[in-house]
Amino acid sequence: MSTHKPTIALLAIPEVAASTLYGVFDVFASAGRDWPALIEGKAGESLFVPQVVARTGKRELTIANGVRIVPDAGLDWVPDVVCIPEIMLPPEAVLEGRYVEEVAWLKRCHANGTILATACSGALLLAESGLLRGEDATTHWAYCDVLGSYPGVRVHPHRALVIGGTGSRLVMAGGGTSWSDLALYLVARLASVDEAMHLAKLFLIDWHAAGQLPFAMLARTRQAEDAVIARCQTWVAEHYDEPSPVASLIEVSGLSERSFHRRFRKATGLTPMEYVHTLRLEEAKQMLETETTPVDAIAEAVGYEDGAFFGRLFRRKVGLTPAQYRRRFGGLRKALSG
């Protein structure tokens, strides 16, 4: 029987958050050790060997929010699993040439059979390496457009976990705390489902079965390159609930219908009606969180006369029904408000 303990390398870069880096570390370190300690009164043996690695080797490294860490090793070895926690940079940041050593190491590890796992925006490093070309992928909802701009990457914004690549050796989790889904999946895959269940109970981890759409901000940031379309976006932000908003937008723009549709899509990446839907649904989400107004009344307030259509659209775009969304996020807001 093999006694090999899988080695887990957690990649530290200056733009990684300590909470994610060491949250993943703690889950792997706990596997096999802490459940017996609580239930049987005697700690077991850890099933994995997690190590924080960085291009600086064992020299101190300052990461996000000014946290100073001392990595366990450099990038001169090939572990069984590499975890890339995240990149705390704005979506528009240029990554090309920024992580040359890390990208080269990831490619070398992948060529030698390593599982490459990412959380949140860490998937962008896989994209930089070219390993996601022709592959399914996911990342934090705010970075999906950026990830989708890499050649051949098929992004699934709604999914909290995507497994792909040869031998299923590319594993990506969505944003925020979905790193916990990633860690549990890897524990189940490399150790056992029972052990993953123990850790879920130990750390009170709730699997993100609904994906990350319920947490996503649907409306995109207003662009500034096309001044005419920017003016239209400002107008529609205050008038999205009006009847025939697209016809009114065309009138506001002063453009021909064809030119307006072409320029709006080029500037925003959405059709005018898709853009209106995102504004309406964001307002509906806010109302569901903060009010007890009936769902049909909310639908009408944001511009939908057909409550059934609103419900179907909401479910498709948000991943929950309006009632489910209200229970989940209205309850959370109430609890946080004391």
Side-chain angles (χ1 to χ4, degrees), residues 9-320:
L10 297 140
L11 181 60
I13 56 176
E15 295 78 22
V16 68
S19 58
T20 305
L21 180 70
Y22 286 105
V24 177
F25 188 104
D26 286 344
V27 171
F28 281 114
S30 174
R33 184 191 66 193
D34 294 348
W35 185 260
L38 293 180
I39 303 304
E40 302 167 10
K42 183 179 180 181
E45 186 176 339
S46 294
L47 300 177
F48 302 100
V49 182
Q51 292 196 339
V52 174
V53 303
R55 64 185 174 201
T56 59
K58 296 183 179 181
R59 297 196 308 275
E60 185 180 275
L61 174 67
T62 300
I63 59 174
N65 302 317
V67 176
R68 293 190 298 274
I69 68 169
V70 178
D72 301 301
L75 306 182
D76 54 353
W77 63 300
V78 176
D80 296 304
V81 179
V82 173
C83 286
I84 310 167
E86 65 187 342
I87 304 174
M88 284 187 65
L89 289 171
E92 66 273 12
V94 177
L95 299 189
E96 186 177 0
R98 190 165 189 153
Y99 302 106
V100 174
E101 293 179 57
E102 288 86 352
V103 165
W105 180 65
L106 291 174
K107 292 168 74 171
R108 185 167 73 253
C109 288
H110 186 262
N112 283 277
T114 297
I115 296 172
L116 302 183
T118 71
C120 199
S121 52
L124 297 180
L125 270 187
L126 287 189
E128 280 289 306
S129 72
L131 293 172
L132 289 185
R133 186 184 292 268
E135 299 291 346
D136 294 317
T138 194
T139 186
H140 187 285
W141 55 265
Y143 293 81
C144 284
D145 286 349
V146 177
L147 187 61
S149 69
Y150 285 89
V153 182
R154 299 186 297 269
V155 182
H156 299 273
H158 62 289
R159 292 167 63 180
L161 193 68
V162 168
I163 298 101
T166 304
S168 299
R169 289 190 291 111
L170 300 176
V171 185
M172 287 149 280
T177 58
S178 60
W179 63 260
S180 59
D181 297 33
L182 178 73
L184 289 183
Y185 167 80
L186 290 171
V187 169
R189 176 169 168 174
L190 299 172
S192 70
V193 171
D194 283 345
E195 185 56 37
M197 291 297 295
H198 290 164
L199 292 172
K201 295 172 183 177
L202 184 64
F203 285 90
L204 276 66
I205 294 174
D206 188 10
W207 188 265
H208 293 85
Q212 58 177 350
L213 279 187
F215 303 90
M217 184 76 173
L218 299 177
R220 305 186 183 194
T221 303
R222 199 168 80 238
Q223 57 78 47
E225 288 77 13
D226 189 321
V228 172
I229 300 305
R231 186 173 74 248
C232 291
Q233 289 177 284
T234 299
W235 182 90
V236 77
E238 300 295 330
H239 300 87
Y240 57 80
D241 56 340
E242 295 185 5
S244 305
V246 175
S248 297
L249 275 170
I250 294 171
E251 186 176 342
V252 169
S253 73
L255 302 171
S256 69
E257 182 175 352
R258 184 174 180 180
S259 292
F260 170 75
H261 280 274
R262 176 179 56 81
R263 286 173 61 172
F264 195 97
R265 178 122 199 191
K266 181 180 179 181
T268 67
L270 299 171
T271 68
M273 197 63 230
E274 286 172 339
Y275 191 84
V276 170
H277 284 321
T278 64
L279 295 177
R280 288 175 170 178
L281 291 177
E282 280 303 324
E283 179 62 19
K285 286 164 65 178
Q286 181 69 15
M287 294 175 71
L288 287 165
E289 288 180 31
T290 58
E291 302 176 10
T292 58
T293 306
V295 171
D296 283 347
I298 289 177
E300 186 175 354
V302 299
Y304 296 107
E305 295 181 2
D306 186 342
F309 173 80
F310 166 74
R312 291 192 299 271
L313 180 67
F314 193 97
R315 175 65 182 267
R316 187 168 75 248
K317 294 292 187 180
V318 181
L320 299 173

